[in-house]
Amino acid sequence: MTDPRAEEGRPRDVVQVRAIGPVLQISLDRPHKRNAVDPAMTLGLEAAFARLEADPDLRVCVLAGTGDYFCAGSDLVLGAGPHTADGGQYGMIRRSRTKPLVAAVDGPALGGGFEMVLAADLVVASRNAWFALPEGARGRLPGAGGLLRAPARLPRNVAVEMMLTGARLDAARAYNLGLVNRLVEPGAVLRTAFELALDAIASAPGSVAQILRGLERIEEPGEQRGWGVTAQALDVLRCSSDHTEGTAAFVERRPPRWVLGAAQRAAIVDAATRPATGA
């Protein structure tokens, strides 16, 4: 029989939380799985963000990852667990906050990991970081906010390329496009994120809360429509053969059946660039 105390401890094992003055640091701590979100991590994030909102001594949050990755998104084998009542996906994607969230990204953030970054108010990234939305390659789509937030935070054509091709967006370009607030050298992310977090609470707590609430209300109509469209698209995909094939390909570590091989791609490009010989 499973020890209930062990069950209670699991979220804390994969989500490390510590308060340093007015800053709550939340660290994704599943480095052997590239910090992919499993049900325990979702529960840990839900509890951590609830603590942030409930404790008047905590005024700002820094979200980081341990190891080489910030977060690789949902665990495609275990799943990320159910949406929580207050936070939605991952216990934090759709949470209403009155305290700023700074994402400290010192490695790749892809899929749901990038969608965590899109849920943040401020972003600090190192030159080691890159962002991607590869869900389409697995018969899925960015369902944790990427479909609506990526085109809102980035130029639409950049967001569309990321979603359709799985293309990587490196941190330097993300900084130039305005997604990243601070671009730093590897290893300097956490210090810079704490400095930015403390800068973000230079204003009065009530002012900060109303600024965040105001932005939320301004963005709400577009977000609500975006979430509705996302839900409809996800329902279609979940019942599709593409979803089944994408998952199987991931588990079996092979390309999905719809991916063209290198020789096929080269032949098509060569044919397109060859001079026409007549109709």
Side-chain angles (χ1 to χ4, degrees), residues 46 49-50 52-54 84-88 91-101 119 121 149 209 212-217 220 223-224 227:
E46 167 73 14
F49 279 96
L52 172 69
E53 222 28 64
T84 66
D86 292 328
M92 58 80 68
I93 292 291
R94 298 183 66 176
R95 182 175 290 275
S96 179
R97 288 179 287 97
T98 60
K99 300 172 184 181
L101 171 59
D121 302 299
R149 289 174 176 166
L212 293 179
R213 288 287 197 210
L215 289 169
E216 185 179 274
R217 288 194 292 269
E220 186 176 8
E223 288 251 326
Q224 289 303 320
W227 285 117

Side-chain angles (χ1 to χ4, degrees), residues 218-253:
I218 290 166
E219 295 166 354
E220 186 176 8
E223 288 251 326
Q224 289 303 320
R225 183 170 184 274
W227 285 117
V229 170
T230 297
Q232 291 172 359
L234 285 171
D235 285 343
V236 172
L237 280 175
R238 285 193 190 101
C239 301
S240 72
S241 58
D242 286 347
H243 186 278
T244 302
E245 166 64 10
T247 302
F250 175 80
V251 173
E252 296 166 14
R253 299 187 178 185

Side-chain angles (χ1 to χ4, degrees), residues 4-277:
R5 291 171 299 178
E7 292 289 336
E8 291 173 0
R10 285 182 184 177
R12 297 185 183 87
D13 292 340
V14 293
V15 178
Q16 302 297 328
V17 182
R18 64 172 180 165
I20 307 174
V23 184
L24 186 69
Q25 181 185 344
I26 303 174
S27 298
L28 311 176
D29 193 16
R30 236 185 139 215
H32 61 293
K33 294 292 184 180
R34 303 191 300 180
N35 293 326
V37 183
D38 66 351
M41 185 176 283
T42 290
L43 290 177
L45 287 168
E46 167 73 14
F49 279 96
R51 174 182 173 185
L52 172 69
E53 222 28 64
D55 189 338
D57 293 330
L58 296 173
R59 297 181 54 198
V60 63
C61 178
V62 171
L63 177 65
T66 60
D68 295 333
Y69 273 70
F70 175 77
C71 176
S74 298
D75 187 312
L76 294 188
V77 177
L78 297 177
H83 300 182
T84 66
D86 292 328
Q89 296 99 318
Y90 308 155
M92 58 80 68
I93 292 291
R94 298 183 66 176
R95 182 175 290 275
S96 179
R97 288 179 287 97
T98 60
K99 300 172 184 181
L101 171 59
V102 181
V105 189
D106 202 9
L110 54 152
F114 183 40
E115 289 168 307
M116 287 183 180
V117 174
L118 293 173
D121 302 299
L122 301 165
V123 181
V124 175
S126 80
R127 296 184 185 277
N128 277 346
W130 51 266
F131 309 97
L133 291 168
E135 289 89 344
R138 300 302 178 193
R140 292 165 163 78
L141 60 78
L147 191 63
L148 55 140
R149 289 174 176 166
R153 309 288 195 275
L154 292 165
R156 182 182 184 278
N157 61 315
V158 175
V160 171
E161 181 181 0
M162 292 179 72
M163 289 188 278
L164 294 184
T165 71
R168 296 182 180 186
L169 176 66
D170 66 57
R173 190 178 181 207
Y175 175 74
N176 289 333
L177 292 173
L179 175 70
V180 171
N181 296 84
R182 302 283 189 274
L183 179 66
V184 299
E185 296 304 318
V189 165
L190 200 58
R191 172 179 288 276
T192 306
F194 265 76
E195 289 172 348
L196 183 57
L198 294 175
D199 288 344
I201 57 172
S203 298
S207 297
V208 171
Q210 289 307 309
I211 288 168
L212 293 179
R213 288 287 197 210
L215 289 169
E216 185 179 274
R217 288 194 292 269
I218 290 166
E219 295 166 354
E220 186 176 8
E223 288 251 326
Q224 289 303 320
R225 183 170 184 274
W227 285 117
V229 170
T230 297
Q232 291 172 359
L234 285 171
D235 285 343
V236 172
L237 280 175
R238 285 193 190 101
C239 301
S240 72
S241 58
D242 286 347
H243 186 278
T244 302
E245 166 64 10
T247 302
F250 175 80
V251 173
E252 296 166 14
R253 299 187 178 185
R254 60 172 175 80
R257 56 176 169 73
W258 56 75
V259 174
L260 296 177
Q264 289 175 291
R265 287 174 57 95
I268 291 169
V269 173
D270 287 347
T273 54
R274 206 177 296 131
T277 57

